[in-house]
Short mmCIF file of all heavy atoms in Angstrom, two decimals:
data_model
loop_
_atom_site.label_atom_id
_atom_site.label_comp_id
_atom_site.label_asym_id
_atom_site.label_seq_id
_atom_site.Cartn_x
_atom_site.Cartn_y
_atom_site.Cartn_z
N MET A 1 0.88 -1.22 -0.01
CA MET A 1 -0.01 -0.01 -0.05
C MET A 1 0.89 1.22 -0.03
O MET A 1 1.72 1.35 0.82
CB MET A 1 -0.86 0.02 1.22
CG MET A 1 -1.83 1.12 1.31
SD MET A 1 -2.80 0.96 2.83
CE MET A 1 -4.30 1.69 2.32
N LYS A 2 0.63 2.13 -0.91
CA LYS A 2 1.44 3.36 -1.04
C LYS A 2 0.94 4.43 -0.14
O LYS A 2 -0.22 4.70 0.07
CB LYS A 2 1.33 3.84 -2.53
CG LYS A 2 2.23 5.05 -2.69
CD LYS A 2 2.13 5.45 -4.24
CE LYS A 2 2.86 6.75 -4.38
NZ LYS A 2 2.74 7.24 -5.81
N LYS A 3 1.87 4.97 0.69
CA LYS A 3 1.56 6.04 1.60
C LYS A 3 1.49 7.34 0.84
O LYS A 3 2.42 7.66 -0.05
CB LYS A 3 2.60 6.22 2.72
CG LYS A 3 2.59 5.16 3.66
CD LYS A 3 3.53 5.38 4.81
CE LYS A 3 3.54 4.36 5.93
NZ LYS A 3 4.37 4.65 6.98
N GLU A 4 0.44 8.17 1.06
CA GLU A 4 0.27 9.48 0.48
C GLU A 4 1.20 10.47 1.25
O GLU A 4 1.20 10.41 2.47
CB GLU A 4 -1.18 9.90 0.54
CG GLU A 4 -2.06 9.08 -0.43
CD GLU A 4 -1.76 9.28 -1.81
OE1 GLU A 4 -1.40 10.32 -2.33
OE2 GLU A 4 -1.79 8.14 -2.51
N ARG A 5 1.86 11.25 0.59
CA ARG A 5 2.67 12.30 1.17
C ARG A 5 1.77 13.47 1.64
O ARG A 5 0.98 13.95 0.84
CB ARG A 5 3.78 12.77 0.23
CG ARG A 5 4.73 13.74 0.80
CD ARG A 5 5.86 14.13 -0.23
NE ARG A 5 6.91 14.56 0.66
CZ ARG A 5 8.13 14.60 0.13
NH1 ARG A 5 8.42 14.24 -1.03
NH2 ARG A 5 9.08 15.02 0.84
N LYS A 6 2.10 13.98 2.84
CA LYS A 6 1.25 15.13 3.37
C LYS A 6 1.77 16.37 2.59
O LYS A 6 3.00 16.62 2.58
CB LYS A 6 1.44 15.30 4.72
CG LYS A 6 0.78 14.17 5.65
CD LYS A 6 1.03 14.35 7.11
CE LYS A 6 0.40 15.56 7.63
NZ LYS A 6 0.45 15.74 9.11
N THR A 7 0.89 17.10 1.95
CA THR A 7 1.28 18.21 1.21
C THR A 7 1.35 19.55 2.06
O THR A 7 1.95 20.55 1.66
CB THR A 7 0.24 18.58 0.06
OG1 THR A 7 -1.07 18.75 0.62
CG2 THR A 7 0.28 17.39 -0.95
N ASP A 8 0.95 19.54 3.33
CA ASP A 8 0.94 20.62 4.18
C ASP A 8 2.20 20.67 5.06
O ASP A 8 2.50 21.63 5.78
CB ASP A 8 -0.26 20.74 5.01
CG ASP A 8 -0.48 19.51 5.96
OD1 ASP A 8 0.19 18.51 5.74
OD2 ASP A 8 -1.26 19.68 6.90
N SER A 9 3.05 19.69 5.03
CA SER A 9 4.28 19.64 5.76
C SER A 9 5.45 20.15 4.85
O SER A 9 5.40 20.01 3.75
CB SER A 9 4.57 18.26 6.27
OG SER A 9 4.84 17.29 5.21
N ILE A 10 6.50 20.70 5.59
CA ILE A 10 7.64 21.29 4.96
C ILE A 10 8.52 20.13 4.53
O ILE A 10 8.91 19.35 5.35
CB ILE A 10 8.34 22.22 5.81
CG1 ILE A 10 7.43 23.38 6.10
CG2 ILE A 10 9.67 22.71 5.18
CD1 ILE A 10 7.93 24.41 7.13
N SER A 11 8.80 20.04 3.23
CA SER A 11 9.67 18.95 2.73
C SER A 11 11.14 19.38 2.50
O SER A 11 12.01 18.52 2.54
CB SER A 11 9.05 18.34 1.35
OG SER A 11 9.05 19.41 0.45
N THR A 12 11.30 20.70 2.32
CA THR A 12 12.68 21.23 2.21
C THR A 12 12.75 22.56 2.98
O THR A 12 11.93 23.29 3.13
CB THR A 12 12.88 21.57 0.79
OG1 THR A 12 12.67 20.45 -0.06
CG2 THR A 12 14.32 22.03 0.53
N PHE A 13 13.94 22.70 3.60
CA PHE A 13 14.27 23.81 4.48
C PHE A 13 15.64 24.38 4.13
O PHE A 13 16.54 23.65 4.12
CB PHE A 13 14.18 23.38 5.90
CG PHE A 13 14.53 24.50 6.95
CD1 PHE A 13 13.50 25.42 7.14
CD2 PHE A 13 15.66 24.66 7.56
CE1 PHE A 13 13.76 26.46 8.12
CE2 PHE A 13 15.95 25.61 8.47
CZ PHE A 13 14.90 26.57 8.77
N LEU A 14 15.58 25.76 3.88
CA LEU A 14 16.84 26.39 3.66
C LEU A 14 17.05 27.34 4.83
O LEU A 14 16.36 28.38 5.00
CB LEU A 14 16.82 27.25 2.36
CG LEU A 14 18.08 27.97 1.93
CD1 LEU A 14 19.10 27.00 1.53
CD2 LEU A 14 17.78 28.96 0.79
N GLY A 15 18.04 27.06 5.72
CA GLY A 15 18.28 27.70 6.97
C GLY A 15 18.78 29.06 6.78
O GLY A 15 19.33 29.50 5.86
N ALA A 16 18.73 29.81 7.90
CA ALA A 16 19.23 31.24 7.93
C ALA A 16 20.67 31.43 7.48
O ALA A 16 21.02 32.43 6.94
CB ALA A 16 19.01 31.79 9.38
N ASP A 17 21.51 30.49 7.76
CA ASP A 17 22.94 30.57 7.42
C ASP A 17 23.30 30.08 5.98
O ASP A 17 24.41 30.13 5.56
CB ASP A 17 23.82 29.88 8.46
CG ASP A 17 23.65 30.48 9.76
OD1 ASP A 17 23.56 31.70 9.88
OD2 ASP A 17 24.00 29.76 10.80
N ALA A 18 22.32 29.70 5.31
CA ALA A 18 22.44 29.07 3.95
C ALA A 18 22.14 30.16 2.87
O ALA A 18 21.29 31.06 3.08
CB ALA A 18 21.59 27.94 3.72
N SER A 19 22.77 30.07 1.77
CA SER A 19 22.52 30.82 0.53
C SER A 19 22.61 30.05 -0.69
O SER A 19 23.42 29.19 -0.72
CB SER A 19 23.42 32.07 0.51
OG SER A 19 24.79 31.71 0.28
N VAL A 20 21.78 30.43 -1.70
CA VAL A 20 21.71 29.82 -2.98
C VAL A 20 21.83 30.88 -4.09
O VAL A 20 21.07 31.87 -4.08
CB VAL A 20 20.49 28.88 -3.14
CG1 VAL A 20 20.36 28.42 -4.62
CG2 VAL A 20 20.35 27.82 -2.22
N ASP A 21 22.74 30.68 -4.99
CA ASP A 21 22.82 31.51 -6.11
C ASP A 21 22.55 30.70 -7.32
O ASP A 21 23.52 29.89 -7.75
CB ASP A 21 24.26 32.21 -6.16
CG ASP A 21 24.39 33.22 -7.16
OD1 ASP A 21 23.36 33.51 -7.93
OD2 ASP A 21 25.51 33.80 -7.32
N GLY A 22 21.39 30.69 -7.92
CA GLY A 22 21.07 29.92 -8.98
C GLY A 22 19.53 29.50 -8.92
O GLY A 22 18.79 30.35 -8.58
N SER A 23 19.19 28.38 -9.29
CA SER A 23 17.77 28.00 -9.40
C SER A 23 17.42 26.93 -8.37
O SER A 23 18.13 25.98 -8.22
CB SER A 23 17.43 27.46 -10.84
OG SER A 23 17.62 28.45 -11.77
N ILE A 24 16.22 27.13 -7.74
CA ILE A 24 15.69 26.07 -6.92
C ILE A 24 14.43 25.59 -7.51
O ILE A 24 13.45 26.39 -7.78
CB ILE A 24 15.39 26.58 -5.41
CG1 ILE A 24 16.71 27.17 -4.82
CG2 ILE A 24 14.71 25.54 -4.68
CD1 ILE A 24 16.42 27.76 -3.48
N GLU A 25 14.24 24.36 -7.88
CA GLU A 25 13.09 23.69 -8.36
C GLU A 25 12.67 22.65 -7.35
O GLU A 25 13.49 21.86 -6.97
CB GLU A 25 13.35 23.05 -9.78
CG GLU A 25 13.62 24.15 -10.85
CD GLU A 25 13.88 23.51 -12.21
OE1 GLU A 25 13.28 22.39 -12.49
OE2 GLU A 25 14.52 24.01 -12.94
N PHE A 26 11.36 22.70 -6.97
CA PHE A 26 10.95 21.74 -5.87
C PHE A 26 9.54 21.33 -6.15
O PHE A 26 8.77 21.84 -6.90
CB PHE A 26 11.06 22.41 -4.54
CG PHE A 26 10.17 23.57 -4.31
CD1 PHE A 26 8.94 23.32 -3.67
CD2 PHE A 26 10.48 24.87 -4.77
CE1 PHE A 26 8.10 24.43 -3.48
CE2 PHE A 26 9.61 25.87 -4.62
CZ PHE A 26 8.37 25.70 -3.98
N GLN A 27 9.12 20.33 -5.39
CA GLN A 27 7.76 19.85 -5.27
C GLN A 27 7.39 19.91 -3.79
O GLN A 27 8.26 19.79 -2.94
CB GLN A 27 7.59 18.38 -5.78
CG GLN A 27 7.91 18.29 -7.17
CD GLN A 27 7.71 16.87 -7.77
OE1 GLN A 27 7.44 16.01 -6.91
NE2 GLN A 27 7.82 16.71 -9.05
N GLY A 28 6.09 20.06 -3.47
CA GLY A 28 5.73 20.06 -2.05
C GLY A 28 5.86 21.42 -1.57
O GLY A 28 5.49 22.41 -2.13
N THR A 29 6.44 21.57 -0.32
CA THR A 29 6.64 22.85 0.39
C THR A 29 8.01 23.11 0.80
O THR A 29 8.71 22.22 1.28
CB THR A 29 5.67 22.84 1.74
OG1 THR A 29 4.35 22.65 1.30
CG2 THR A 29 5.71 24.17 2.43
N ILE A 30 8.43 24.31 0.47
CA ILE A 30 9.89 24.65 0.95
C ILE A 30 9.76 25.92 1.75
O ILE A 30 8.93 26.74 1.59
CB ILE A 30 10.71 24.94 -0.25
CG1 ILE A 30 12.23 25.26 0.13
CG2 ILE A 30 10.27 26.12 -1.11
CD1 ILE A 30 13.16 25.39 -0.99
N ARG A 31 10.56 25.95 2.89
CA ARG A 31 10.67 27.11 3.75
C ARG A 31 12.07 27.73 3.55
O ARG A 31 13.04 26.97 3.60
CB ARG A 31 10.45 26.85 5.20
CG ARG A 31 10.53 28.10 6.00
CD ARG A 31 10.27 27.87 7.50
NE ARG A 31 10.63 29.15 8.20
CZ ARG A 31 9.85 29.97 8.81
NH1 ARG A 31 8.47 29.52 8.81
NH2 ARG A 31 10.25 31.05 9.50
N VAL A 32 12.14 29.00 3.24
CA VAL A 32 13.38 29.69 3.02
C VAL A 32 13.57 30.79 4.23
O VAL A 32 12.79 31.64 4.29
CB VAL A 32 13.37 30.36 1.69
CG1 VAL A 32 14.64 31.21 1.38
CG2 VAL A 32 13.11 29.52 0.53
N ASP A 33 14.63 30.48 4.93
CA ASP A 33 15.02 31.55 5.91
C ASP A 33 16.35 32.17 5.56
O ASP A 33 16.75 33.02 6.31
CB ASP A 33 15.13 30.83 7.32
CG ASP A 33 13.71 30.60 7.87
OD1 ASP A 33 12.78 31.33 7.55
OD2 ASP A 33 13.63 29.57 8.62
N GLY A 34 17.06 31.61 4.59
CA GLY A 34 18.30 32.15 4.14
C GLY A 34 18.17 33.16 2.98
O GLY A 34 17.21 33.84 2.83
N LYS A 35 19.20 33.15 2.09
CA LYS A 35 19.33 34.03 0.98
C LYS A 35 19.20 33.25 -0.27
O LYS A 35 19.94 32.25 -0.39
CB LYS A 35 20.57 34.81 1.04
CG LYS A 35 20.73 35.82 -0.08
CD LYS A 35 22.02 36.64 0.10
CE LYS A 35 22.15 37.56 -1.16
NZ LYS A 35 23.51 38.29 -1.07
N VAL A 36 18.41 33.74 -1.24
CA VAL A 36 18.28 33.15 -2.52
C VAL A 36 18.40 34.22 -3.58
O VAL A 36 17.69 35.19 -3.55
CB VAL A 36 16.99 32.34 -2.71
CG1 VAL A 36 16.83 31.73 -4.15
CG2 VAL A 36 16.77 31.30 -1.70
N THR A 37 19.32 34.00 -4.52
CA THR A 37 19.43 34.86 -5.69
C THR A 37 19.31 34.04 -6.93
O THR A 37 19.98 32.95 -7.04
CB THR A 37 20.87 35.52 -5.65
OG1 THR A 37 21.09 36.24 -4.50
CG2 THR A 37 21.09 36.46 -6.83
N GLY A 38 18.40 34.41 -7.84
CA GLY A 38 18.13 33.63 -9.07
C GLY A 38 16.69 33.36 -9.28
O GLY A 38 15.99 34.20 -9.73
N LYS A 39 16.30 32.05 -9.11
CA LYS A 39 14.98 31.62 -9.46
C LYS A 39 14.43 30.56 -8.53
O LYS A 39 15.18 29.64 -8.13
CB LYS A 39 14.95 31.03 -10.85
CG LYS A 39 13.59 30.65 -11.40
CD LYS A 39 13.66 30.24 -12.75
CE LYS A 39 12.28 29.72 -13.27
NZ LYS A 39 12.27 29.35 -14.71
N ILE A 40 13.18 30.76 -8.07
CA ILE A 40 12.59 29.59 -7.32
C ILE A 40 11.31 29.29 -8.00
O ILE A 40 10.43 30.14 -8.36
CB ILE A 40 12.13 30.24 -5.89
CG1 ILE A 40 13.35 30.77 -5.03
CG2 ILE A 40 11.36 29.15 -5.13
CD1 ILE A 40 13.07 31.48 -3.82
N SER A 41 11.14 27.95 -8.36
CA SER A 41 10.00 27.61 -9.08
C SER A 41 9.47 26.18 -8.71
O SER A 41 10.22 25.35 -8.25
CB SER A 41 10.24 27.60 -10.61
OG SER A 41 11.31 26.68 -10.91
N SER A 42 8.13 26.05 -8.90
CA SER A 42 7.52 24.77 -8.63
C SER A 42 6.20 24.71 -9.37
O SER A 42 5.50 25.76 -9.50
CB SER A 42 7.32 24.58 -7.12
OG SER A 42 6.64 23.40 -6.91
N ASN A 43 5.82 23.59 -9.90
CA ASN A 43 4.59 23.33 -10.47
C ASN A 43 3.62 22.80 -9.40
O ASN A 43 3.70 21.67 -9.13
CB ASN A 43 4.62 22.46 -11.69
CG ASN A 43 3.36 22.36 -12.47
OD1 ASN A 43 2.31 23.04 -12.08
ND2 ASN A 43 3.23 21.40 -13.37
N GLY A 44 2.88 23.70 -8.78
CA GLY A 44 1.89 23.19 -7.77
C GLY A 44 2.53 23.30 -6.32
O GLY A 44 1.85 22.85 -5.41
N GLY A 45 3.67 23.89 -6.11
CA GLY A 45 4.24 23.82 -4.82
C GLY A 45 4.00 25.17 -4.06
O GLY A 45 3.37 26.12 -4.51
N THR A 46 4.46 25.14 -2.79
CA THR A 46 4.32 26.27 -1.83
C THR A 46 5.67 26.69 -1.27
O THR A 46 6.49 25.85 -0.90
CB THR A 46 3.44 25.89 -0.66
OG1 THR A 46 2.08 25.42 -1.06
CG2 THR A 46 3.25 26.95 0.42
N VAL A 47 5.88 27.96 -1.40
CA VAL A 47 7.14 28.54 -0.80
C VAL A 47 6.73 29.31 0.46
O VAL A 47 5.74 30.16 0.36
CB VAL A 47 8.02 29.36 -1.76
CG1 VAL A 47 7.31 30.54 -2.24
CG2 VAL A 47 9.38 29.70 -1.08
N ILE A 48 7.36 29.07 1.58
CA ILE A 48 7.20 29.95 2.81
C ILE A 48 8.47 30.79 2.93
O ILE A 48 9.57 30.23 3.03
CB ILE A 48 7.00 29.13 4.02
CG1 ILE A 48 5.75 28.16 3.86
CG2 ILE A 48 6.90 29.98 5.29
CD1 ILE A 48 5.58 27.12 4.89
N VAL A 49 8.43 31.98 2.98
CA VAL A 49 9.47 32.93 3.06
C VAL A 49 9.51 33.44 4.47
O VAL A 49 8.61 34.12 5.05
CB VAL A 49 9.43 34.15 2.08
CG1 VAL A 49 10.63 35.07 2.23
CG2 VAL A 49 9.39 33.59 0.63
N GLY A 50 10.59 33.09 5.26
CA GLY A 50 10.68 33.52 6.65
C GLY A 50 10.94 35.00 6.85
O GLY A 50 11.33 35.71 5.86
N GLU A 51 10.77 35.52 8.02
CA GLU A 51 10.86 36.89 8.39
C GLU A 51 12.22 37.54 8.01
O GLU A 51 12.28 38.63 7.54
CB GLU A 51 10.63 37.20 9.71
CG GLU A 51 9.21 36.87 10.26
CD GLU A 51 9.02 37.03 11.72
OE1 GLU A 51 9.92 37.56 12.47
OE2 GLU A 51 7.96 36.68 12.21
N LYS A 52 13.26 36.80 8.14
CA LYS A 52 14.64 37.40 7.88
C LYS A 52 15.20 36.86 6.58
O LYS A 52 16.40 37.16 6.26
CB LYS A 52 15.54 37.00 8.99
CG LYS A 52 15.11 37.62 10.31
CD LYS A 52 15.98 37.53 11.51
CE LYS A 52 15.52 38.13 12.74
NZ LYS A 52 16.32 38.04 13.80
N ALA A 53 14.53 36.22 5.76
CA ALA A 53 14.96 35.71 4.43
C ALA A 53 15.24 36.93 3.57
O ALA A 53 14.54 37.86 3.67
CB ALA A 53 13.91 34.74 3.80
N VAL A 54 16.19 36.62 2.59
CA VAL A 54 16.51 37.67 1.51
C VAL A 54 16.41 37.02 0.31
O VAL A 54 17.08 36.03 -0.03
CB VAL A 54 17.93 38.28 1.78
CG1 VAL A 54 18.23 39.17 0.64
CG2 VAL A 54 18.10 38.85 3.12
N ILE A 55 15.32 37.45 -0.51
CA ILE A 55 15.05 36.84 -1.83
C ILE A 55 15.25 37.80 -2.90
O ILE A 55 14.54 38.91 -3.00
CB ILE A 55 13.55 36.39 -1.79
CG1 ILE A 55 13.20 35.43 -0.66
CG2 ILE A 55 13.22 35.70 -3.15
CD1 ILE A 55 14.01 34.13 -0.66
N HIS A 56 16.17 37.54 -3.73
CA HIS A 56 16.48 38.33 -4.94
C HIS A 56 16.25 37.40 -6.13
O HIS A 56 17.25 36.96 -6.77
CB HIS A 56 17.82 38.99 -5.05
CG HIS A 56 18.05 40.01 -3.94
ND1 HIS A 56 17.55 41.27 -4.04
CD2 HIS A 56 18.70 39.90 -2.76
CE1 HIS A 56 17.84 41.93 -2.95
NE2 HIS A 56 18.63 41.09 -2.16
N ALA A 57 15.00 36.93 -6.35
CA ALA A 57 14.78 35.90 -7.33
C ALA A 57 13.34 36.04 -7.96
O ALA A 57 12.50 36.68 -7.41
CB ALA A 57 14.85 34.54 -6.55
N ASP A 58 13.26 35.45 -9.22
CA ASP A 58 12.01 35.29 -9.77
C ASP A 58 11.29 34.18 -9.18
O ASP A 58 11.92 33.04 -9.01
CB ASP A 58 12.16 35.07 -11.29
CG ASP A 58 12.69 36.13 -12.09
OD1 ASP A 58 12.42 37.29 -11.73
OD2 ASP A 58 13.54 35.91 -13.02
N VAL A 59 10.04 34.28 -8.65
CA VAL A 59 9.41 33.28 -7.96
C VAL A 59 8.16 32.84 -8.77
O VAL A 59 7.31 33.69 -9.05
CB VAL A 59 9.01 33.75 -6.64
CG1 VAL A 59 8.23 32.68 -5.76
CG2 VAL A 59 10.19 34.18 -5.82
N SER A 60 8.06 31.53 -9.09
CA SER A 60 6.97 31.05 -9.85
C SER A 60 6.45 29.82 -9.07
O SER A 60 6.99 28.70 -9.26
CB SER A 60 7.32 30.71 -11.29
OG SER A 60 6.30 30.12 -12.04
N VAL A 61 5.41 29.91 -8.21
CA VAL A 61 4.93 28.86 -7.46
C VAL A 61 3.34 29.02 -7.38
O VAL A 61 2.86 30.03 -7.66
CB VAL A 61 5.51 28.85 -6.03
CG1 VAL A 61 6.99 28.58 -6.07
CG2 VAL A 61 5.24 30.13 -5.30
N SER A 62 2.70 27.98 -6.89
CA SER A 62 1.24 28.02 -6.77
C SER A 62 0.89 28.93 -5.62
O SER A 62 -0.09 29.60 -5.65
CB SER A 62 0.64 26.60 -6.66
OG SER A 62 0.79 26.07 -7.88
N ILE A 63 1.52 28.65 -4.41
CA ILE A 63 1.29 29.48 -3.25
C ILE A 63 2.52 29.99 -2.58
O ILE A 63 3.54 29.28 -2.51
CB ILE A 63 0.57 28.47 -2.24
CG1 ILE A 63 -0.77 27.99 -2.75
CG2 ILE A 63 0.33 29.27 -0.87
CD1 ILE A 63 -1.31 26.90 -1.87
N ALA A 64 2.50 31.32 -2.26
CA ALA A 64 3.71 31.91 -1.60
C ALA A 64 3.17 32.55 -0.31
O ALA A 64 2.22 33.39 -0.28
CB ALA A 64 4.34 33.09 -2.44
N ILE A 65 3.69 32.15 0.81
CA ILE A 65 3.45 32.65 2.09
C ILE A 65 4.64 33.53 2.62
O ILE A 65 5.71 32.98 2.75
CB ILE A 65 3.13 31.52 3.16
CG1 ILE A 65 1.98 30.67 2.60
CG2 ILE A 65 2.88 32.13 4.47
CD1 ILE A 65 1.77 29.36 3.35
N ILE A 66 4.41 34.79 2.74
CA ILE A 66 5.44 35.70 3.16
C ILE A 66 5.26 36.07 4.63
O ILE A 66 4.30 36.65 5.02
CB ILE A 66 5.43 36.98 2.29
CG1 ILE A 66 5.38 36.59 0.82
CG2 ILE A 66 6.66 37.84 2.60
CD1 ILE A 66 6.36 35.77 0.25
N MET A 67 6.26 35.71 5.47
CA MET A 67 6.10 36.09 6.90
C MET A 67 6.48 37.60 6.94
O MET A 67 6.22 38.25 7.78
CB MET A 67 7.08 35.23 7.69
CG MET A 67 6.78 33.79 7.53
SD MET A 67 5.12 33.38 8.12
CE MET A 67 5.27 31.71 8.51
#
């Protein structure tokens, strides 16, 4: 029996001390507390941007939650 993945749980986390210069492509939900420069994209995904995150990126997602 295949287990269904919960779509409301965070599947990927980018911590406050992390930075990405480039593209992030994901499925599910990602929380970003660090710095991202470039592109964040997902077909049907959710991005949660933390209070101290720094985003200099094109964002193309289904749901964006900005703290």
Side-chain angles (χ1 to χ4, degrees):
M1 181 181 212
K2 184 178 177 183
K3 288 186 178 182
E4 293 296 321
R5 185 175 204 164
K6 292 176 70 175
T7 57
D8 60 345
S9 65
I10 295 172
S11 58
T12 306
F13 179 76
L14 184 68
D17 293 332
S19 65
V20 173
D21 188 1
S23 296
I24 298 174
E25 294 181 26
F26 68 96
Q27 294 180 356
T29 301
I30 185 173
R31 179 176 172 116
V32 178
D33 286 330
K35 180 179 179 182
V36 178
T37 303
K39 183 177 180 179
I40 301 172
S41 63
S42 178
N43 185 8
T46 300
V47 64
I48 301 170
V49 179
E51 292 177 9
K52 296 184 180 183
V54 178
I55 308 293
H56 296 285
D58 293 326
V59 180
S60 177
V61 297
S62 291
I63 300 171
I65 299 170
I66 313 299
M67 303 296 199

